[in-house]
Structure formats: structure tokens, C-alpha cells
Amino acid sequence: MVRKNKPITAVLVMVLMSMLVLGGCASKKAGGEVVLGYVGPMTGPSATMGIATKQGAELAIEEINKAGGIMGKAIKFVTRDDEADPTKSKTAVQELIDKEKVQMMIGQPNSTCVAASEDYVNKNKIIQILNIATNTQLINAEKYPYTFRTFFPSPVQAEALVNIAKKAGFQKIVLLGDTTALGNDGIASLQAACKAAGITPVEAITYKSGDADMTPVAEKIKQAGADCALAWTLGADGAKIVSALSRIGYMDKLIYLGYTGLSLPNFRELAGNGIDRCYTITGFWSVDKASGATQLDKARQELYDKIVAKYGKYGPGGRTTAPQMVASGYEAIYLYKWAVETAGTFDPDAVKKVLETKISEFPLKVGTADTYRFSPTNHEAISGKDLVPVLLDPMLTTDKIFGDVYIRGSFTK
Amino acid sequence: MQQLIFGLANGSIYALMALAIGMVSSTTGIVNFAHASVVMMGAMVSWWMMVICGLSYLPALFVAIAVSIVLNIVMYETCVKKLGDLQNNVGWIITLFGASIILDNIARMMFGTEPQAFPYLFGGKMVTVFGANIMLHELMMITIAVVIGVVYQTIIKRTRFGRAVRAVAFRPSTSELMGIKSEKIILSCFAMAGAVAAVGGALIAPITFASYTMTYSIGLKGFAAAVLGGFGNTKGAFIGGFILGLIEAFICIFVPAGIKDSISFVIMIIVIIFLPEGIMSAKFFNKNLSAAEKV
Amino acid sequence: MLKVENLTIAYGKTEVVHHVSFDVKKGSVVTIAGANGAGKSTILNTIVGLHRSKEGRILYKGEDITRTAPDKLVSKGIRLVPEGRQIFAEHTVEENMLLGAYVEKDAKKIRDRMDQMYDRFPRIKERRRQIAGTLSGGEQQMLAIARALMTAPDLLILDEPSLGLAPIIVKDVFKLLTEIKQTGVTILLVEQMVDNALSISDYAYVLETGKIVFSGTRDEVKNSDDIVKAYLGNV
């Protein structure tokens, strides 16, 4: 009996051993995982921003996991759709932190959503990178020590807009903004930037976002005799104002220079003929055609090609997202990877310290600007000097704004 | 002159919305909160027909009218009729608001979130009259609205159907005693409101752009105009729409565009306080009827 | 002409009419008397299809019409002149007449009928362009009756035609009803104060809290002391 049982015992032992090994592998894998999270709108009006970030992050994570992860740990990426609703967003963020145990999050594109959950994120010492949200209040190195921004917030955009207008020599500048928090914030930023640049705007004109008819706004601009409108307007409102300006025959008398919210895929169709006098601003994701360039710089062009290869060309049935935004999601993941590896630990305080003190060493230059300016007291990466005016029409490969890479523009009075 | 045209053009849309809201509320006593969404659907369907299916303006508009009529009938059958007595069961407030949200979401799913350019009539051609630039489209908006308003009033005043509508509006049960099927009349009113919604949608879409949120701001104005004219009073509602458009256009000269809505609503609140049954209840309009007593 | 069998009517869960049966013979005038709240109007509204019965049958010319829609009943020749006249106050007088003929599609028939009515009601003719709400109470009652006669009904039902009218006008109304009866129209009347109604009636029923408590010919009613005391006042 005993003899007979020996092979069976051997088999059993082998099975048990292999289970242990496999089990060990499994448990090692579980311990070797780092969870990164993202909450953003995947449906609804701002879905294109939400999806863009997710696409970029997934692209980066795929590459990183293929190359061995972050310090040997594979990245698990968890995402939630918040439909740009602050309440839903907050719940989703809490879920990711409490249940999924994320260690780093890419911030929501919508500022109100970030605001709703930012306290919780920082209380739990989660490194948070805002790649799209622009509200000024969101960045505060003291209040939100773990939140960093790689995008340009209102004051930075305002500074850039005012400087561009000043350099071009405009005399009669009007400021445009809607009556929402966004518009008020924008107008305040523009006024502050004007003051800093020593410019007195002729008038600040407000309107109600989404209003059916923007002709009254156009009339006001005309009455003010403006030669430049610095516009803190959203795409559809902006297009309506431009179309109303053409409608009353004033569009050829001014330059319409808007903040980034002005970009909208079909801005050209909506705005009509005045489009060639409309500009927005952006960072280095723009092609300087005037100086003979036909492509982005090398690193950005490589990423652009990857984006097109993975998510398709912009257009119906293809990609709906802007490459610059996809790139910012992509870069956020690499930024975290770099900071962790430089710190040699996942400890949030160490990672934060690296971001604050060694950012100039970050090698990947595919974001908005080439140099980031984080410091222990400043968690904003971009300054007004990093932005350039770009044409709202046409884009490099498509006539849809948002859909592709901007062409730099230049104008003088 | 310029302001006058803008005011009348916008007013024509408010008037069409108020008229359609009035059609429904005159016979049922309810307020169709989903009306603005049907206007939006009308615009989106005509846009879809023109841009995706390649139809020309009029056939596209006819499809949109048909769709809006069907929508309104479905809405009546599901959100209104099932509730029974509308005076006691105010569930329609919920069902119609719900219908409006559902329609907005359907539109968002079907047509996407991006606003779309919608063609002007006559390719956006402009003429200059007395130094004002006037778009032919705007003239058409005003004309079409006035024609619809006048045709509707004529139907209501002069035809057998119109008499029946007024009878149902006045007292449904007595109308039944005359052999009028109140329900059929109410359904017809919903259908007509749907048709008017589609026309209004197609007319305003070049200005607001076609998107699922296009009627968010004008929808409220439509209701405001309906109240200004006196609920259930289609003539008053219609005139209320034009008055609201004019008020808006002219106060814009004096106040920032951002607070224009507050000012126009202040004016409306004042009107409603003094004429709770709408502008048509003003003595000025009722000289001959002063002896009228309601039974 | 009209036969009501075992009719029970409820509003929600409250039964207001219990197992009521009565008969209206062709060419006769029948009165249903009863105090306010006895269920008289409820019965009439059920007959003309505005309200649904819970139990029982209504037969008209031998045909079951228990669940027939109001517009069908109008076409079949049943007309109700509702309580309080309920003329369309914001329509003109003539429009009220036209609404009365709503189920009739033949314009010539409507025209002829209207002329007949104008002959019978010269006051109405005089005021045909006026807004109906401006008529006096008596005129409104005449209009309500004329409106109902626009489709030449076989059965005319009147709910409290004397309500709120001056005695002298009430006399006119009943004189008119007698004339209508003479043209062969069957009449079913509901009244609280039945002295006038009874004078033109062939038969009467008395309704008390949803039940018929008495029925009989005009003379039988007049000879019943209890009924006279309760409903007829000083005859």
C-alpha cells in the first residue's frame, strides 16, 4: 500500500509545490502593482477632453508596462466616468482612493469637479496632476501640497493674451466674458494682466453663456470702436459672437483673440467668414509654418504619430480627441514615473519633493512647454511666456479646430 | 431700426414657442415643459436631414415637422393622457420635465454634443434698409411667425375645428355634450404645437446653432412670453413673444448683455403683477367685452 | 325610449347612486325629483356618457348604451342641457348654436335647423352676434336649450332648467318645454323644486340619497302628502 502510494504522493507534492510557486507568483504580482486613477467625463459635452486624457494615459501605461512598469511594478489603471458632474466626480474619486487604493491620479478636466474632490485627494496624500483644468484656485502649494498642474491656468493665459495684444500694438482692447464663474474669473485675470502690462482696456463686456443671440454683444464691441477683442468665451458663444460681428459688418475691423476655451471642432463652420481674424493661444503643440516648419518638433511629432497610429486620424469614425490633450494625459503618467524613479520610492512626500526640486531634470518634452517651473511654492508648470498665438483656422491636417495641431499665427495692428 | 429687426426676429421665435405652449395649455390647462426640447428636436432633425441625408431645406423641414408631431403625440399619450384629471393630478409637471430631459439626452446621443452650423434661408443674404443691415432670414422669421400666428387665429376664430378648440378650452365636459371628442381636440393641439415647434426650431437654429442645448435659454423665454400673454391665451402669448423680443433688443442698448435677462424678467414680473392674466387682459384690448361675464 | 336598470354609480370608492331603475316612455315627460345631493345630476351625466356606471344597464330604443361615448349618444339623438346652462360664454351666440350642431356635418341641414331655432327663439336671433356670456340668465337658458335642439334630438334631458332663474322666466322655460314635447320630443327632467316640472310631467320619480323612494303618475305624486310636503312646497 505504502509503495503503491509513493507516486501519488510525489504527484501531490509536485502539485502543491507548483501551486505554491504559482500562488507565490500571483501574490508577488499583486504586491507588484501600482494603481493609478483617472476620473473624467467620458460622456456628455466635455467628453472629448475626458476621453483624450484617458487615451493618452493608456498609451503611456501600455508602453511602460511593456518595458517593465514603474520600479518593477506593473501599472493598473482605473478610470471612472463623472459626466462632468462634481457630485458624481467626488464619489468616483473617493471610490478610487478608498476601494481601488490609487497612488496617483490625473485630475479631472473640469475645474468644478477638481474643486469638489481636491481636499479628499490631498488629505489622502495622492499625487494629483491637473493636465486640463484651468481654474486658478485649484493650485496652491500650501493648501493642496500634492496637486500639480501641467496646463496653463487663467492668469497664465490672460498674461499671454495681453502680451500678444500689446506686442501687436492694439490700442482699443475690449475684454469679453460670460457671466458664469468661468467668465468672471477670465475677465478678472485679463484685467489683472492688463494692469501688469500697463494697458487700459476700453471696456469689459459681459454676456450670458448660451444666449440665443449674441448680436447685442457685437453691437457693444462696435460701439466701443475696438481693434482687438480679448475673448474669454467658450467655443459656441465665441462662434456666435464672431458670426454676429460679421453680421453687423465689424469683423474686418478687429482681431478676435480668445483663450483656449474658444476652440471647438466646427468653429469655422459656426463662426462663418470672420474666421481668418480669429486666434487662440497654445503651447508648443503648434507648427511654426511661417518659419518654414511643416511638423512639430521631434519628440512631439513622434508622439503625434503614435497617437494617430493608435487612435486614428481626426474625423468622423476616427479620433475625436485633440492630440495636445492626449499628449498631456500621456505625459502625466511619465511625469509620475520619472518622479517615483528619481525619488526611488512611491512615498508621496518624496515624489512631491522630486517634482518640486528636480523638475528641470524631467527628460520627456512632449507637454505644453519644454520647461516646467515647479518649485516648493509654485505648482504651476507653465508661464505666460510659454504660449503663442495660433490660427483658429485652419489646422495642420484638418479644418476642424481641436482635431489636430495648430498653426502658429502672427498679426500686428 | 436695427434693434427693431433684431427684436422682432427673436420675438418671432418666442412668439412661436409661446403660441405652441398656449395651444396646449388652452385646451388642457397644462404647461408643456418639454416644448423647448421638441423645438430642439425639430431643428436637429432638419439639420440631420439636410447635412447627413442631403435633403434640401423644405423637404428636411417637412420631415422635422412630421417627427415633431409624432413626438408631441407620443408625449401626450404617455406623459399626459395616462394621468387622467390634470387639474387634480399635477404629475404632468414631473412627466413633462422628464420627457424634456429624455429628449435632450436622446438628441445628445443621436446628434452628438457639438453645436452644428445650420444654414440661413437665402444663404444669409443681407439687405440694407434705412442704414440697418437686415438679413432676409430675419425677415422670413418674422413673416413666417406672423403668418402662422394669423392662420392659427383664423382657424380658431372661423372654423368648426377652431370653435371646438375654444369650446374644449372653455369647458371640456360641456364640449363632450356637444359631441366634441375633447381628447381628439387636445391631441390635435399637441400635434399642431409639434409642427410649430419644428418650424421655430429650423428658423432659430442658424442663430443659436443646432445642438441639444440650443433651446436652453430661449425655452425659458418662450414660457415667459406665454405667461406675459396670459396662459392659454394664444393670441396674447403670440403678442407676448414679440413684446419680449423687443424689450430685450432695446434694453440691450442700456445695460450689459450679461444682465439683460434679469432686466427683461423684472419687466415681466411687473407686467404680471399688474395684469395677472397677461397683457391681453388689459382694458385696452377688451373695450368691447367689458360687460362679459364668465359662467 | 329610455330604460335604466339597476344603475349603481360611484365616485372612486363612494357609491352615490344605488340600484336605481326607471323608465321614460316615448313622447312622455318624466321628472326625477330630489334634494340637492340625491344623485340626480350623477344619473344624468352617466346616461349621456360623461360618467361611468359601476353596475347596471341603460337601454335607449332597446339598444344597450351603457358605455357609449357622449358624441355617439348625441348622434343617436340624446341631448343633455346641463345644470347651470353651461353655455360657452366666450363664444358668440351663433357659435354656441353651431357647436350644438357639432356632430352634424351637412352645412345646409345646420343652416335650416338654425333658421328654425331662430324662428322659435327670436331673442336668440336678435343677439346672435353677441358674446354669449353677456346674455341674461333666462336668455342663456333658452340658448342652452336651443343649442341642444340643433341636432333635433329624440330625447331631451334637462338638469335643473329653473335653477337661478326668476319665477316669471321659469314659467317661460316650462311653456317652451311643453311646446317641445308637442313636437314629439321625449323629455327627462331633473328638478329640486318640482311644482313647475310636475305640471308638465306624465310621470315622476323621487330620489333620496341615491335611491328611488317613490314613483308614480303626476296625480299619484300630487296625492301623496309626504312627497308634497318634502318636495313640492305649496302647490
Side-chain angles (χ1 to χ4, degrees):
Chain A
M1 289 290 273
V2 172
R3 274 182 77 94
K4 224 183 176 180
N5 270 353
K6 255 188 184 166
I8 297 171
T9 316
V11 168
L12 264 175
V13 168
M14 275 176 74
V15 167
L16 274 172
M17 275 176 70
S18 60
M19 272 173 75
L20 266 173
V21 171
L22 283 173
C25 274
S27 65
K28 192 181 163 200
K29 213 172 184 181
E33 203 177 62
V34 54
V35 188
L36 308 188
Y38 170 59
V39 173
M42 312 292 170
T43 53
S46 38
T48 40
M49 295 194 290
I51 293 169
T53 304
K54 185 165 173 258
Q55 285 178 337
E58 281 172 350
L59 187 61
I61 287 165
E62 204 180 285
E63 288 174 9
I64 293 171
N65 279 345
K66 223 177 257 172
I70 303 179
M71 296 210 310
K73 290 191 181 194
I75 301 174
K76 183 185 169 197
F77 190 47
V78 282
T79 62
R80 294 286 184 275
D81 179 9
D82 67 4
E83 298 162 42
D85 174 341
T87 318
K88 283 182 190 157
S89 197
K90 190 180 176 191
T91 316
V93 167
Q94 286 173 342
E95 194 197 326
L96 290 196
I97 293 174
D98 296 341
K99 284 201 193 136
E100 303 284 351
K101 309 283 179 208
V102 296
Q103 299 194 4
M104 171 268 188
M105 294 190 82
I106 302 179
Q108 301 91 315
N110 302 80
S111 294
T112 45
C113 292
V114 179
S117 54
E118 200 174 5
D119 270 329
Y120 198 75
V121 170
N122 278 275
K123 212 189 289 165
N124 285 280
K125 296 192 174 187
I126 311 292
I127 297 286
Q128 184 182 38
I129 294 171
L130 306 182
N131 66 324
I132 294 178
T134 53
N135 185 284
T136 327
Q137 313 290 323
L138 300 177
I139 294 299
N140 183 333
E142 263 176 46
K143 201 171 161 198
Y144 305 120
Y146 300 96
T147 303
F148 294 81
R149 170 149 55 202
T150 58
F151 196 62
F152 26 100
S154 313
V156 172
Q157 293 200 38
E159 187 190 337
L161 289 170
V162 169
N163 285 340
I164 290 164
K166 188 184 179 185
K167 229 159 94 188
F170 292 115
Q171 305 295 323
K172 292 188 150 188
I173 296 171
V174 292
L175 312 179
L176 289 179
D178 63 34
T179 48
T180 65
L182 183 115
N184 287 335
D185 192 23
I187 293 228
S189 301
L190 283 171
Q191 277 165 337
C194 282
K195 210 172 169 191
I199 290 175
T200 318
V202 191
E203 200 178 346
I205 298 167
T206 60
Y207 60 89
K208 197 163 149 270
S209 178
D211 229 346
D213 183 13
M214 292 295 178
T215 323
V217 181
E219 291 276 356
K220 286 255 151 77
I221 297 173
K222 189 180 175 182
Q223 277 165 28
D227 54 10
C228 175
L230 295 184
W232 214 271
T233 52
L234 289 171
D237 293 335
K240 269 185 216 165
I241 294 172
V242 170
S243 130
L245 280 165
S246 308
R247 163 77 186 75
I248 62 165
Y250 198 69
M251 197 55 211
D252 53 354
K253 302 211 170 50
L254 92 167
I255 289 288
Y256 195 90
L257 180 58
Y259 91 120
T260 50
L262 194 59
S263 46
L264 183 82
N266 50 0
F267 190 86
R268 172 203 178 91
E269 288 137 58
L270 298 177
N273 296 330
I275 187 78
D276 54 343
R277 299 179 70 81
C278 297
Y279 298 84
T280 185
I281 44 171
T282 198
F284 295 168
W285 273 82
S286 51
V287 176
D288 196 357
K289 249 187 166 174
S291 22
T294 54
Q295 281 197 325
L296 296 162
D297 56 69
K298 191 164 167 291
R300 289 185 177 85
Q301 185 65 38
E302 271 174 26
L303 178 54
Y304 175 77
D305 292 340
K306 276 188 213 164
I307 292 168
V308 173
K310 187 159 172 79
Y311 298 113
K313 280 191 175 156
Y314 182 84
R319 180 167 47 83
T320 58
T321 49
Q324 180 175 358
M325 285 190 181
V326 178
S328 71
Y330 177 91
E331 183 210 39
I333 299 290
Y334 271 103
L335 185 60
Y336 180 68
K337 176 180 185 278
W338 166 81
V340 167
E341 287 173 349
T342 307
T345 167
F346 284 97
D347 174 56
D349 289 307
V351 173
K352 165 181 177 305
K353 199 158 181 231
V354 169
L355 286 171
E356 285 172 346
T357 54
K358 297 189 176 162
I359 188 69
S360 58
E361 295 165 24
F362 177 50
L364 189 71
K365 297 198 189 315
V366 296
T368 306
D370 282 348
T371 38
Y372 284 173
R373 301 162 198 265
F374 295 139
S375 77
T377 52
N378 172 34
H379 284 190
E380 296 278 12
I382 316 285
S383 110
K385 301 174 196 80
D386 301 323
L387 304 180
V388 291
V390 290
L391 289 166
L392 269 169
D393 168 72
M395 302 296 272
L396 191 60
T397 61
T398 162
D399 58 0
K400 301 269 178 195
I401 315 295
F402 212 77
D404 217 77
V405 176
Y406 288 105
I407 296 170
R408 281 186 207 175
S410 62
F411 47 81
T412 48
K413 166 142 172 69
Chain B
M1 182 66 192
Q2 190 81 61
Q3 300 302 328
L4 187 70
I5 291 296
F6 291 147
L8 287 176
N10 284 338
S12 66
I13 294 304
Y14 302 153
L16 284 182
M17 293 190 71
L19 173 67
I21 291 166
M23 284 177 190
V24 166
S25 66
S26 69
T27 45
T28 56
I30 67 168
V31 183
N32 186 358
F33 291 116
H35 185 71
S37 297
V38 178
V39 172
M40 176 274 297
M41 276 303 221
M44 292 311 291
V45 170
S46 12
W47 171 77
W48 183 265
M49 285 298 138
M50 273 189 278
V51 175
I52 310 293
C53 303
L55 293 183
S56 55
Y57 199 98
L58 275 181
L61 182 59
F62 283 129
V63 174
I65 289 176
V67 170
S68 299
I69 288 176
V70 171
L71 272 179
N72 252 10
I73 289 177
V74 170
M75 198 142 66
Y76 170 70
E77 294 288 339
T78 54
C79 299
V80 180
K81 194 174 140 190
K82 295 259 182 277
L83 300 173
D85 180 359
L86 298 169
Q87 261 67 50
N88 292 322
N89 185 350
V90 288
W92 54 267
I93 296 176
I94 303 298
T95 54
L96 290 174
F97 261 123
S100 144
I101 292 168
I102 291 167
L103 282 180
D104 290 352
N105 279 299
I106 289 174
R108 198 179 74 188
M109 284 188 283
M110 281 176 68
F111 307 116
T113 56
E114 299 296 341
Q116 304 292 346
F118 197 98
Y120 284 104
L121 286 167
F122 310 109
K125 204 166 173 294
M126 275 196 252
V127 290
T128 310
V129 184
F130 301 125
N133 291 324
I134 299 170
M135 248 188 196
L136 291 182
H137 181 87
E138 287 158 349
L139 291 181
M140 278 310 279
M141 281 167 80
I142 302 166
T143 315
I144 291 172
V146 169
V147 167
I148 289 178
V150 168
V151 167
Y152 181 75
Q153 287 309 325
T154 311
I155 290 174
I156 284 303
K157 285 274 178 268
R158 303 253 176 270
T159 66
R160 174 173 176 270
F161 172 73
R163 275 195 297 277
V165 169
R166 280 182 292 137
V168 173
F170 185 70
R171 198 176 275 152
S173 62
T174 314
S175 310
E176 297 263 339
L177 291 178
M178 302 300 117
I180 299 167
K181 290 181 187 146
S182 300
E183 202 184 301
K184 214 168 120 191
I185 300 291
I186 292 171
L187 196 61
S188 315
C189 285
F190 264 87
M192 284 191 301
V196 172
V199 174
L203 287 177
I204 191 71
I207 297 166
T208 60
F209 307 144
S211 84
Y212 77 102
T213 57
M214 63 178 277
T215 52
Y216 279 12
S217 83
I218 57 170
L220 192 62
K221 310 279 179 63
F223 291 117
V227 174
L228 200 60
F231 253 125
N233 183 338
T234 46
K235 199 203 246 166
F238 194 75
I239 295 169
F242 277 107
I243 290 179
L244 179 57
L246 289 173
I247 290 177
E248 278 192 359
F250 284 101
I251 60 170
C252 266
I253 305 173
F254 309 110
V255 301
I259 60 164
K260 134 193 117 164
D261 284 1
S262 339
I263 303 291
S264 30
F265 275 93
V266 165
I267 294 175
M268 263 184 293
I269 290 168
I270 293 171
V271 171
I272 289 161
I273 289 170
F274 287 104
L275 298 169
E277 282 176 48
I279 41 169
M280 293 307 280
S281 66
K283 284 229 174 68
F284 176 75
F285 294 105
N286 293 312
K287 275 178 199 149
N288 308 325
L289 296 179
S290 49
E293 53 175 279
K294 283 189 185 179
V295 174
Chain C
M1 176 69 83
L2 183 76
K3 206 174 166 66
V4 171
E5 292 175 350
N6 202 25
L7 192 64
T8 299
I9 311 167
Y11 284 110
K13 283 187 176 162
T14 326
E15 251 183 45
V16 289
V17 172
H18 322 278
H19 307 289
V20 163
S21 301
F22 61 89
D23 215 344
V24 181
K25 294 219 159 53
K26 191 170 187 314
S28 66
V29 174
V30 171
T31 296
I32 300 178
N36 203 4
K40 307 179 305 276
S41 295
T42 307
I43 293 176
L44 296 192
N45 284 339
T46 308
I47 293 172
V48 297
L50 287 184
H51 195 81
R52 285 221 161 157
S53 59
K54 197 177 158 197
E55 244 181 89
R57 283 206 308 169
I58 304 165
L59 298 170
Y60 172 71
K61 294 179 180 171
E63 185 191 348
D64 190 340
I65 55 155
T66 315
R67 299 247 145 148
T68 311
D71 60 297
K72 293 262 164 53
L73 296 176
V74 168
S75 304
K76 286 179 194 292
I78 304 179
R79 287 305 291 253
L80 170 69
V81 179
E83 186 178 345
R85 277 100 59 190
Q86 297 187 13
I87 56 149
F88 296 105
E90 290 170 2
H91 289 62
T92 65
V93 170
E94 183 150 300
E95 281 179 328
N96 268 274
M97 301 289 279
L98 288 170
L99 280 166
Y102 187 79
V103 294
E104 179 59 65
K105 298 227 165 73
D106 185 337
K108 192 178 173 302
K109 269 193 191 165
I110 297 175
R111 203 64 250 170
D112 291 350
R113 193 71 192 161
M114 186 121 76
D115 289 342
Q116 283 174 32
M117 286 301 127
Y118 282 160
D119 286 347
R120 184 178 282 166
F121 302 94
R123 293 278 290 164
I124 304 271
K125 186 180 181 183
E126 256 171 54
R127 300 182 182 273
R128 65 183 190 279
R129 305 253 178 261
Q130 231 168 293
I131 300 293
T134 62
L135 297 184
S136 71
E139 287 166 342
Q140 290 191 8
Q141 185 63 65
M142 293 300 179
L143 175 59
I145 294 171
R147 182 178 68 178
L149 292 176
M150 280 300 286
T151 45
D154 297 327
L155 174 63
L156 184 65
I157 307 176
L158 297 104
D159 194 348
E160 309 244 16
S162 67
L163 189 76
L165 297 182
I168 182 143
I169 306 210
V170 175
K171 283 239 158 56
D172 285 349
V173 170
F174 281 96
K175 195 171 143 243
L176 173 68
L177 291 181
T178 319
E179 286 168 28
I180 293 170
K181 180 197 172 182
Q182 277 156 10
T183 63
V185 179
T186 310
I187 295 177
L188 173 60
L189 264 176
V190 147
E191 274 290 353
Q192 248 184 83
M193 299 305 293
V194 286
D195 19 14
N196 283 300
L198 212 53
S199 65
I200 64 161
S201 296
D202 301 303
Y203 207 83
Y205 294 86
V206 175
L207 198 66
E208 230 177 73
T209 57
K211 283 192 190 110
I212 288 188
V213 292
F214 183 89
S215 66
T217 61
R218 172 175 54 192
D219 296 334
E220 282 167 356
V221 175
K222 279 190 171 165
N223 293 336
S224 159
D225 283 350
D226 292 353
I227 300 301
V228 169
K229 258 187 215 150
Y231 300 101
L232 304 187
N234 308 317
V235 175

